Amino acid sequence: FITHGHADSSSGVYDLVRLMSKQKHQSTLYVERETWEQFSEISRRVKPWVTVRYLTPGVAVQACGTRIMPFRVPHSTTDGFPTLGFRIGKDLVYASDVSSIPKDSASYIRGVKHLILDGCMWFGKKTASHLTVDKTIHIAARLRVEHLYITQVSHSYPAHTEAWWKIRAFCNKQKITIPVTLAYDGYTFTV
């Protein structure tokens, strides 16, 4: 499942194609048509190994026995740049590159057990295409998720342990009681 066409989200397609061709194994790639068109140079090479299924925001698909609902989130500063978040089953939402949560998309997140959400920028640091950690925490609290996992952590953060303590202090000061996990490379959890 590809959220959008930026390299940090989609460059794994090249590795996927190489792996599938070596193993002579076929896989399915779920992506919006407009995003897939950004990969014109590799689309010819993937045909034998990757089946492409086009996603439409608000229209669920079944993959590996799980219902997955793609929904629109704003991310890029380029108008109309397609970016998706995903409601995976009933317990998980993944939205890794987000600048805000529109009202139409909030319904896919509200009350979910596990929310993995962009928190790219540290307190007081801003960029037009990503959320700040405080906005991420407030969104999760407002939408009453049961557990927030902050992802897309950037160079604007202090060291992981220091950041975690400052996030805890912020939540305590704001009286936000949901558990917040600051994700890191290799972090895993069970849904």
Side-chain angles (χ1 to χ4, degrees), residues 1 3 7 12 23 27 33 40 47 60 64 70 73 85-86 103 121 125 130 134 139 144 173 177 180-181:
F1 283 81
T3 57
Q23 294 184 353
S27 186
R33 182 180 298 273
S40 60
K47 293 223 186 266
C64 300
V73 290
F86 298 103
K103 288 180 183 179
M121 303 307 290
K125 308 288 184 183
H130 290 279
D134 50 315
I139 287 169
R144 298 186 177 147
K173 185 177 180 182
T177 59
V180 176
T181 298

Side-chain angles (χ1 to χ4, degrees), residues 121-125 132-139 170 176:
M121 303 307 290
W122 189 244
F123 298 101
K125 308 288 184 183
T132 58
V133 65
D134 50 315
K135 285 183 183 176
T136 300
I137 293 167
H138 281 298
I139 287 169
F170 173 80
I176 295 172

Side-chain angles (χ1 to χ4, degrees), residues 61-177:
V61 297
Q62 288 284 330
C64 300
T66 302
R67 183 177 189 265
I68 301 176
M69 176 65 76
F71 60 91
R72 179 73 59 220
V73 290
H75 166 50
S76 177
T77 56
T78 304
D79 286 339
F81 186 84
T83 305
L84 296 173
F86 298 103
R87 174 93 186 224
I88 304 164
K90 62 181 179 149
D91 293 335
L92 176 64
V93 170
Y94 177 81
S96 63
D97 288 70
V98 179
S99 61
S100 66
I101 300 295
K103 288 180 183 179
D104 293 350
S105 298
S107 63
Y108 297 111
I109 300 170
R110 188 169 285 109
V112 74
K113 285 184 181 180
H114 305 281
L115 171 61
I116 302 170
L117 185 59
D118 179 323
C120 181
M121 303 307 290
W122 189 244
F123 298 101
K125 308 288 184 183
K126 293 188 181 181
T127 181
S129 57
H130 290 279
L131 291 170
T132 58
V133 65
D134 50 315
K135 285 183 183 176
T136 300
I137 293 167
H138 281 298
I139 287 169
R142 179 175 46 88
L143 296 177
R144 298 186 177 147
V145 304
E146 292 183 30
H147 196 128
L148 169 64
Y149 304 83
I150 299 172
T151 192
Q152 192 69 15
V153 175
S154 75
H155 64 281
S156 67
Y157 275 64
H160 189 272
T161 302
E162 179 185 349
W164 185 82
W165 281 106
K166 288 183 177 182
I167 288 169
R168 272 187 79 176
F170 173 80
C171 290
N172 288 338
K173 185 177 180 182
Q174 298 288 312
K175 297 182 176 28
I176 295 172
T177 59

Side-chain angles (χ1 to χ4, degrees), residues 2 4-22 29 35-46 49-50:
I2 294 181
H4 65 294
H6 288 157
D8 66 334
S9 170
S10 58
S11 62
V13 169
Y14 299 97
D15 293 328
L16 176 67
V17 170
R18 191 176 68 250
L19 179 65
M20 295 299 106
S21 65
K22 282 182 180 177
L29 181 71
T35 299
W36 184 241
E37 289 170 359
Q38 296 173 18
F39 295 101
S40 60
E41 76 275 4
I42 67 159
S43 61
R44 293 178 304 281
R45 292 188 292 159
V46 303
W49 312 113
V50 177

